[in-house]
Each structure stands twice: as C-alpha cells, then as structure tokens.
Amino acid sequence: MKLGALEAGGTKMVCAIGDENGKILKKESFPTLTPEETIPKLYDFFEKEGVEALGIGCFGPICLDKSSPEYGHITTTPKLAWQNYDMVGAFKGLGVPIGFDTDVNGSVLGEHTWGIGKGLHSVLYITIGTGVGVGIILDGKLVHGMMHPEGGHILLTRHEKDLEFPGNCPFHKNCFEGLCAGPAIEKRWGKKGAELQDQPFVWELEAYYIAQALVDYVCIASPQRIILGGGVSHQLQMLPLVREEFKKQMNGYIATKEMEDLDTYIVAQSLDDEQGIMGALKLGLDAM
Ligand code: ADP
Ligand code: ZN
C-alpha cells in the first residue's frame, strides 16, 4: 500500500511516502513560504508517487468540523499567508481519501499506533518546541471537541523566581507555551535551550511549569501515559525533574496503578522524532 503523509509545520513541510506498517519509504522537506509557492511542490510530490491516500497533520488552529464549510481550513493562524487556507481542498485533485488533523494529534496517533503509546486506550502527547502543543487520544479516539485542544495555552502559576519575565505569547502573559517553548527559553535567558544544558535552574524552572501542566492534564483528561516530544524535550536530564515535581504538585491526590511508577507514566517520545509524520500516514490509512 502506498500512503502519502504531510506534516505541515510553520517552518517546514515534510512530505513522506510510507506503508500501512508505518514504514517511511521516502521523505522530503520543503520550506513553508506562501501557499502559492509551497503547495504546488507538495502536490507534485504526492501526484508523482501515485499515493492511494493522504494524511495531513497540520499546524493550527484548524477547522475539523466536517459539517462546516470551513472543514479542512487553517483558521486564525498568525502566519498571515495561511489564514483561512483550504489545506484539504488543495489536495482534492489527487482524487484520494484525505485524513486531516492537527500536527500534535498526528504525533499522538503515531506513538499510539507504533510507539510507546501502543496498547493503551488513553494517551497524551506534548510537544515542547517552537510552540507547545498537546494531542490526546481518549478511549481510543483522537480528541477534537468544538475544535481541538489547545493545551499549549493553559495558564500556569508563576515560579516565585520567574516573576519578571514578560512571557512570550501575544495572547497570554502566563501560558505554558509563552513560558516554556524554545523561543520563550531563548527570550528569558538570551541563549537557545541547546546552549543552556549546563544551567540547572533553566531546567528546574522548565520542569516546574511542565509538571504543573501535567497535573492539570491528568486531572482533566486522565491519560494512561504522557509522552513528551519536541526539541526542548531533547534535554533528557529534565525528565526526572519533571517527574519529581509532578509528584510534589499532585501531592498524592490521584493514585492509580499507571501512576505508581512515574518512570513509565511520564516518558520521552519513542519514534526518533518521526511520530508526527508516521501519525500523518495513519491519518491517511484511516481515511481509506
Ligand atoms: P518545531 O517545534 O518547529 O517542529 P522543534 O521541536 O525542533 O521544532 O523545536 C524547535 C525549538 O526547540 C527551538 O526553539 C529550539 O531552540 C528548541 N530546541 C531544539 N533542540 C533543543 C535542545 N537539544 N535543547 C533545548 N532546546 C532545543
Ligand atoms: Zn498563550
């Protein structure tokens, strides 16, 4: 089976061909310019390969309401050239089934189908990278709701040593993304996260905020496992700090068998940063 997968991001578009087992056979990246410049290249890629279905994991916000004329569109993105762009419509000419969801729902789907979320009915995936995004599978189904969760913008309580930082979200002073994503780290410390590896407080602060967000997600969504991905999560020394802080902040309130061992409850991504594109393959497969 020849499936097409598109991971549509704000900086690059990753196109891949793969099969129903999640095996990626070919992959190519294109910079995200304007739709007029970028989309024809992606379209050609999939047309030449003769894919049987296409899955798109897309940066958001996007419209996922199939009864709406806006279904398949990118909606209020700050990337102006892409505002109200009909992403699904752009590929209709291929004449194949198209699956469409958020990039992070793609990632959670990838991990749930082929990675560390396999076999569980409820999994939550967080990417901490250029932004913060959350994808959720509950009782085996991707969570959409009114639109889709925007878990990167939940509001957090400031650490007492982080009261001065203005935050980095144009909408919120104290949201998860504005305090913790890669660009927020760079703005707060004047250096990229990768260059701050030897600064323990940088990661204690990250862990403090991430743990707070996790407590909220666990209380609301009740996932059986939480998976951390994205560039900032490459700082693996942060993971034990997150677990320790999570335990402290949860304070014993929820005690399930899944949460007995936090080393298996809060885990790093397991697919070598390929869960997004693999999840897009699965979106295509499911659309067939
Ligand atoms: P995107 O979110 O655009 O898909 P990434 O997940 O790679 O891409 O996130 C990029 C962000 O993550 C940047 O802000 C970058 O500084 C940060 N980042 C990337 N690698 C690391 C690292 N090893 N340690 C800390 N931060 C990192
Ligand atoms: Zn925000």
Side-chain angles (χ1 to χ4, degrees):
M1 199 177 278
K2 206 174 200 185
L3 302 165
L6 168 60
E7 194 181 9
T11 42
K12 64 178 195 290
M13 300 278 177
V14 182
C15 295
I17 304 299
D19 67 14
E20 68 278 14
N21 301 313
K23 189 165 174 1
I24 306 283
L25 307 162
K26 185 176 178 179
K27 199 165 83 168
E28 202 172 332
S29 274
F30 302 88
T32 304
L33 308 171
T34 63
E36 295 70 29
E37 292 166 290
T38 305
I39 292 291
K41 296 193 181 108
L42 315 181
Y43 191 97
D44 286 351
F45 176 91
F46 294 117
E47 191 178 42
K48 274 198 196 109
E49 291 290 337
V51 295
E52 294 166 69
L54 175 66
I56 306 174
C58 189
F59 69 89
I62 58 180
C63 179
L64 294 171
D65 174 4
K66 286 197 169 148
S67 69
S68 161
E70 299 293 302
Y71 172 77
H73 287 59
I74 298 171
T75 60
T76 53
T77 172
K79 296 169 197 50
L80 294 180
W82 293 86
Q83 259 182 20
N84 303 313
Y85 186 72
D86 184 2
M87 199 71 176
V88 170
F91 294 95
K92 283 247 164 79
L94 293 172
V96 300
I98 299 175
F100 184 63
D101 217 309
T102 62
D103 44 7
V104 268
N105 263 349
S107 295
V108 75
L109 190 57
E111 290 283 0
H112 181 249
T113 312
W114 292 296
I116 199 159
K118 207 171 155 177
L120 302 174
H121 56 70
S122 299
V123 192
L124 190 141
Y125 179 94
I126 306 175
T127 179
I128 309 173
T130 306
V132 174
V134 177
I136 310 172
I137 290 183
L138 280 189
D139 299 326
K141 280 185 63 182
L142 285 166
V143 172
H144 293 136
M146 170 185 73
M147 184 179 79
H148 48 77
E150 276 288 343
H153 294 266
I154 62 167
L155 306 180
L156 302 178
T157 301
R158 290 275 180 145
H159 190 285
E160 60 184 11
K161 290 186 186 153
D162 190 41
L163 300 175
E164 304 299 319
F165 180 60
N168 195 42
C169 172
F171 297 92
H172 318 109
K173 233 181 126 203
N174 298 313
C175 75
F176 187 7
E177 175 171 306
L179 294 174
C180 285
I185 296 176
E186 196 173 344
K187 184 170 168 182
R188 185 190 283 107
W189 303 105
K191 275 187 186 172
K192 285 191 188 302
E195 296 159 30
L196 292 162
Q197 188 148 3
D198 58 350
Q199 300 291 316
F201 185 64
V202 171
W203 307 108
E204 280 166 36
L205 190 63
E206 278 297 291
Y208 175 82
Y209 289 129
I210 295 168
Q212 214 183 120
L214 299 198
V215 167
D216 291 355
Y217 299 145
V218 170
C219 290
I220 292 169
S222 206
Q224 294 169 290
R225 180 163 290 157
I226 294 172
I227 304 167
L228 295 181
V232 175
S233 302
H234 288 162
Q235 297 288 333
L236 289 177
Q237 82 284 7
M238 187 176 72
L239 212 53
L241 305 179
V242 171
R243 295 185 186 116
E244 198 180 311
E245 188 61 35
F246 174 86
K247 190 170 177 191
K248 207 156 103 190
Q249 295 188 25
M250 181 58 87
N251 201 19
Y253 180 61
I254 297 177
T256 58
K257 69 173 177 5
E258 288 86 349
M259 276 174 53
E260 268 168 24
D261 180 4
L262 291 184
D263 291 354
T264 59
Y265 188 64
I266 301 170
V267 299
Q269 62 82 31
S270 72
L271 297 171
D272 236 352
D273 295 332
E274 297 272 274
Q275 55 285 121
I277 197 74
M278 291 170 76
L281 269 187
K282 184 68 163 63
L283 287 171
L285 186 62
D286 289 348
M288 273 180 97

